[in-house]
Amino acid sequence: MATMTHDTAVQRRLRSGLILAVLSASSFGLSGSLARGLMNAGWSAASVVAIRVLVAAAVLLPIALQQLHRDWQLLRRNASLITAYGLVAVAGTQLAYFNAVAHMAVGVALLIEYTAPIAVVTWLWLRHRQRPGTATVAGAALGITGLFLVIDLRSGLSTSWVGLVWALAAMIGAAGYFVLSAHGDGTLPGTVLAAGGLLIGGLSLLAAGAVGIVPLHATTNPVVFQHFTIAWWPPVLALGIVTAAVAYVSGIAATRLLGSRLASFVALFEVLAALIFAWALLGEAPRAIQLLGGILILGGVIVVRRGELTTGEAPADEYATER
């Protein structure tokens, strides 16, 4: 009976985590197309990232303060985690990704970034001795094969070395996002981590722009998408509320339920969402080989998920290791 209760708890944990992970991935997937529209209207990549995370921080801050209940000691104990999350998972990753988007197609940039599960698996193996099981390795092979198909090297990827470097930097930051999201002692609410990280990330970008490290410029020009033109502020609000506030909070919750390894694989769904949004908003239609790659990515996620469930590996075990 105890075993059945544990198995049911694990299944419920996985189900809730998967729903949140798909919500997060879908929300993140919209960001590249919206950012491209703003950059085409004259915004710099750093300005897009800064306004996105600061709007999200403004939305989440009142909720985070309520959840803290004036427990400032909790905030001090987790200051290093929140700071690392803001600088690496928020500012670094998104700045690198949006710079990549400025030099290559949204889907290609995102697919390079989302080789991050391999980095996560490698980190957990080397740092915490969590050797990947057969299902994880098989799922990784399927997922990465799918990534290569969606990238489609014949599409001219080799001509954008600048974009490639930025996309690889985003991959490293994305791996850090999953590891940091699962980190902690379980007492820091996910909304507090997200709000603090977003605020630090946004302010650090403003500081970098003030001293000339990154260019900060924006316009009020209309934003042109494939079938319509819109004022600048609706894409900005959508970037902040949907692709940042909702995406980060649900992503942290999903990672704490699933563990950083499984969450990083489920997040590959973002590449499919990004392709769909780029097709709808920018006219970047996916090719047949990319659709086949998307099927393999989903297959890889399913294999990894079944492996986690079959072995009965509770994400809490990984969470304890992260502490």
Side-chain angles (χ1 to χ4, degrees):
M1 179 66 69
T3 300
M4 291 181 63
T5 302
H6 172 74
D7 290 344
T8 301
V10 170
Q11 290 183 28
R12 288 177 178 173
R13 188 181 183 93
L14 284 172
R15 188 179 302 111
S16 299
L18 288 171
I19 292 172
L20 288 168
V22 171
L23 172 62
S24 177
S26 301
S27 301
F28 275 128
L30 177 60
S31 64
S33 296
L34 294 179
R36 171 70 74 80
L38 286 169
M39 287 188 287
N40 287 345
W43 289 60
S44 66
S47 296
V48 173
V49 179
I51 194 67
R52 175 184 182 233
V53 298
L54 288 174
V55 167
V59 171
L60 294 178
L61 198 56
I63 304 173
L65 290 174
Q66 184 178 17
Q67 290 184 347
L68 271 176
H69 301 297
R70 298 181 181 272
D71 187 359
W72 309 120
Q73 185 62 33
L74 175 63
L75 206 58
R76 285 191 289 270
R77 288 200 308 269
N78 291 276
S80 59
L81 171 61
I82 295 173
T83 301
Y85 190 86
L87 296 178
V88 176
V90 177
T93 303
Q94 294 306 306
L95 181 59
Y97 171 55
F98 287 148
N99 271 298
V101 166
H103 293 89
M104 60 172 59
V106 168
V108 175
L110 191 63
L111 287 161
I112 295 174
E113 177 184 351
Y114 269 77
T115 56
I118 301 302
V120 171
V121 169
T122 302
W123 167 259
L124 293 176
W125 189 359
L126 297 178
R127 178 66 176 81
H128 299 297
R129 301 295 187 268
Q130 294 184 14
R131 185 173 182 175
T134 303
T136 299
V137 174
L142 276 176
I144 297 306
T145 300
L147 287 172
F148 275 109
L149 291 180
V150 182
I151 289 173
D152 187 7
L153 295 179
R154 296 173 302 175
S155 65
L157 173 65
S158 60
T159 62
S160 181
W161 291 106
V162 174
L164 177 60
V165 171
W166 278 116
L168 289 173
M171 180 272 289
I172 295 173
Y177 161 78
F178 292 110
V179 172
L180 290 170
S181 293
H183 197 75
D185 59 6
T187 61
L188 184 69
T191 302
V192 176
L193 174 59
L198 288 165
L199 184 60
I200 290 173
L203 293 178
S204 66
L205 283 170
L206 291 182
V211 298
I213 296 177
V214 294
L216 285 178
H217 52 83
T219 72
T220 57
N221 296 334
V223 180
V224 179
F225 293 107
Q226 183 183 14
H227 297 300
F228 63 94
T229 299
I230 196 170
W232 63 272
W233 58 268
V236 167
L237 288 180
L239 272 171
I241 297 173
V242 178
T243 79
V246 172
Y248 278 103
V249 171
S250 58
I252 291 171
T255 304
R256 290 181 172 181
L257 288 170
L258 300 175
S260 56
R261 178 171 56 237
L262 179 55
S264 67
F265 279 95
V266 178
L268 289 175
F269 182 78
E270 181 181 340
V271 303
L272 300 181
L275 286 175
I276 293 171
F277 285 126
W279 187 3
L281 296 178
L282 304 176
E284 296 178 359
R287 291 174 289 278
I289 192 171
Q290 292 178 306
L291 296 177
L292 174 61
I295 294 172
L296 290 180
I297 289 170
L298 288 179
V301 171
I302 292 171
V303 170
V304 174
R305 187 260 181 187
R306 288 180 62 86
E308 297 275 338
L309 187 59
T310 301
T311 59
E313 180 181 347
D317 294 337
E318 176 185 318
Y319 194 79
T321 303
E322 289 291 341
R323 289 202 298 268

